[in-house]
Amino acid sequence: MNFDYRPGLDKIKPYSIEEKEWDIKLDANESPHNLPPLVRERVMNQFEYMAFNRYPDIGTRELRTLIAESFNMNIQNVQLGNGSSEIIMNLCQLFGGPGRSIVFPTPSFSMYSVYAQSSDSEPVAVTLNEDYSVPREKFLEAAEKSNAKLIILCNPNNPTGTVMPTEDIEYIVSRATCPVLVDEAYFEFYGESAVGLMEKYDNLIIARTFSKAYGLAAARVGYVLAHADVISMLGRVIKPYHINSLSLVTAEILYQMRDEFMPGLEQIIAERKRLAMALESISGIKVYPSEANFILIKTAKSKELAAYLSEKNIGIRDFSAAPGLINCIRFTVGTPLENDGLLKSIVTFMKEGI
Ligand SMILES: *Cc1c(COP(=O)(O)O)cnc(C)c1O
């Protein structure tokens, strides 16, 4: 039959990645470490007692309480998502809609545009400066001109790794006439958060995830901190039981044991510095300063380099043809061994000009 789909879907570019069994997988900003052994043991043990026949706790009270307590907030200020992606989508459904716009940066996380469009909102992309710093005035102007109902910021920004000062976030939040969502998916690799501003501004929303620093990408759990009114309204767009019991239990244990992740986190940050320094010493490569668990580089031979790395079975994210990211490649910081493998291949390629 001639399927008559909802208008606008033709304009949405679905998320796609190259799925391959890479020898060195540095394409998805995942943690190179599986769960710490102690955490893993507790999780497996809990699965033994799980009531698989029962629906999950619909209020997800346990994990929300744990998160709220760690921020000195109330459970009414916390909501979970099936990955922070789901919660970002839910926020677009909550504030967007026909005739209403959602403002977000570009280049940044490609899903902001998809969620804006799939909620029938008008997507308004604000182009970052040449060095990927955030033009704060341009965000406010774009929001005002387009009748924005939500502004999204990403700090540190994916895929550039660059950050915006908290002062600039406050500048936007304090002047915006709509909520401002700060996506802090990579916060743990940076250490600075806008969460402290929430006391002062009730239009500030913060999103975090367990997928990156906590290496829980498989379980799909993220959360959002917001004014109690926003969290309450989110209940109208969230599916019941959107987080399964296995993921909930895993995230609960993980959050209680989050100190166990510190050594792994410190290693990634140290490796990021080492990788960046090594790459900077290679002529023909520009390295963007990163506060995340990945590094963006720019080189004239990016397409050839991406092909070479693929041939060496090293998975990276090739942005060389993406708007605002011409000649750029992003790779995740892996284990020291993986990073050595990546570096060796890049050095060989740049020297021999293959
Ligand atoms: C990875 C990522 C997310 C979310 O990941 P989830 O696995 O859905 O929690 C959100 N924002 C940005 C910028 C990301 O890079």
Side-chain angles (χ1 to χ4, degrees):
M1 81 170 288
N2 228 339
F3 296 107
D4 191 8
Y5 296 109
R6 208 176 72 202
L9 289 180
D10 52 325
K11 289 192 206 79
I12 296 179
K13 247 181 61 203
Y15 190 80
S16 76
I17 54 151
E18 192 180 351
E19 216 149 8
K20 206 173 137 183
E21 288 287 324
W22 302 107
D23 287 341
I24 300 180
K25 189 178 186 318
L26 304 173
D27 61 339
N29 299 345
E30 295 152 331
S31 170
H33 312 296
N34 204 336
L35 295 182
L38 227 58
V39 178
R40 204 183 159 89
E41 197 184 303
R42 284 264 296 271
V43 169
M44 294 307 165
N45 190 42
Q46 276 298 305
F47 283 177
E48 287 281 346
Y49 298 95
M50 171 120 22
F52 283 89
N53 55 322
R54 300 293 179 201
Y55 281 108
D57 165 25
I58 194 157
T60 58
R61 296 194 64 87
E62 210 154 326
L63 182 55
R64 287 170 62 208
T65 303
L66 281 173
I67 294 169
E69 278 169 0
S70 80
F71 287 100
N72 246 326
M73 292 183 187
N74 291 314
I75 185 169
Q76 289 94 333
N77 299 114
V78 184
Q79 186 49 276
L80 307 181
N82 197 296
S84 59
S85 300
E86 185 188 50
I87 213 103
I88 297 167
M89 183 184 79
N90 288 150
L91 286 165
C92 290
Q93 292 169 334
L94 199 59
F95 293 109
R100 303 156 70 93
S101 85
I102 295 175
V103 171
F104 51 86
T106 186
S108 187
F109 193 40
S110 61
M111 294 310 289
Y112 301 145
S113 170
V114 172
Y115 296 141
Q117 291 174 82
S118 64
S119 61
D120 292 329
S121 327
E122 186 202 338
V124 176
V126 175
T127 304
L128 298 178
N129 298 324
E130 188 82 22
D131 61 355
Y132 300 130
S133 58
V134 178
R136 57 187 198 181
E137 208 58 57
K138 264 170 74 184
F139 269 82
L140 290 169
E141 283 164 19
E144 198 182 301
K145 256 206 282 189
S146 67
N147 187 28
K149 298 299 177 189
L150 180 66
I151 296 174
I152 304 177
L153 301 171
C154 186
N155 201 39
N157 186 45
N158 178 16
T160 61
T162 47
V163 294
M164 64 188 294
T166 307
E167 186 195 319
D168 285 356
I169 296 176
E170 180 164 14
Y171 186 89
I172 294 172
V173 173
S174 62
R175 285 164 180 79
T177 54
C178 65
V180 179
L181 164 65
V182 183
D183 183 352
E184 294 189 347
Y186 300 95
F187 155 75
E188 291 84 358
F189 307 103
Y190 175 37
E192 279 181 46
S193 172
V195 78
L197 295 173
M198 285 185 71
E199 261 181 50
K200 228 165 130 188
Y201 305 101
D202 61 6
N203 61 330
L204 176 60
I205 304 172
I206 308 273
R208 298 261 182 99
T209 181
F210 289 95
S211 300
K212 308 284 161 60
Y214 293 114
L216 203 64
R220 315 294 303 119
V221 185
Y223 62 93
V224 71
L225 308 171
H227 187 274
D229 201 63
V230 174
I231 299 298
S232 158
M233 285 300 287
L234 268 172
R236 303 189 183 199
V237 293
I238 286 174
K239 280 187 305 176
Y241 311 119
H242 58 142
I243 319 229
N244 70 69
S245 300
L246 289 90
S247 295
L248 262 181
V249 159
T250 309
E252 278 162 23
I253 293 169
L254 179 155
Y255 203 69
Q256 284 168 303
M257 298 178 78
R258 57 192 185 282
D259 286 351
E260 298 288 322
F261 291 80
M262 283 314 288
L265 200 56
E266 277 160 17
Q267 187 196 62
I268 292 167
I269 293 169
E271 281 294 293
R272 175 184 73 207
K273 289 180 186 153
R274 181 175 78 91
L275 250 181
M277 266 175 62
L279 289 164
E280 271 160 17
S281 71
I282 304 171
S283 80
I285 291 183
K286 177 181 167 60
V287 182
Y288 289 92
S290 171
E291 295 289 338
N293 67 336
F294 54 83
I295 293 177
L296 187 78
I297 63 161
K298 189 173 192 164
T299 173
K301 284 184 293 186
S302 60
K303 271 195 199 76
E304 293 85 349
L305 175 58
Y308 179 78
L309 293 174
S310 175
E311 199 181 293
K312 296 282 161 196
N313 220 4
I314 300 175
I316 49 89
R317 201 56 203 272
D318 178 14
F319 285 104
S320 54
L325 294 165
I326 300 303
N327 285 335
C328 288
I329 293 176
R330 184 197 72 192
F331 32 74
T332 312
V333 178
T335 63
L337 209 66
E338 289 173 326
N339 301 333
D340 283 342
L342 172 77
L343 268 175
K344 194 167 149 243
S345 286
I346 295 178
V347 168
T348 307
F349 173 85
M350 295 303 284
K351 262 208 201 120
E352 299 176 6
I354 304 157

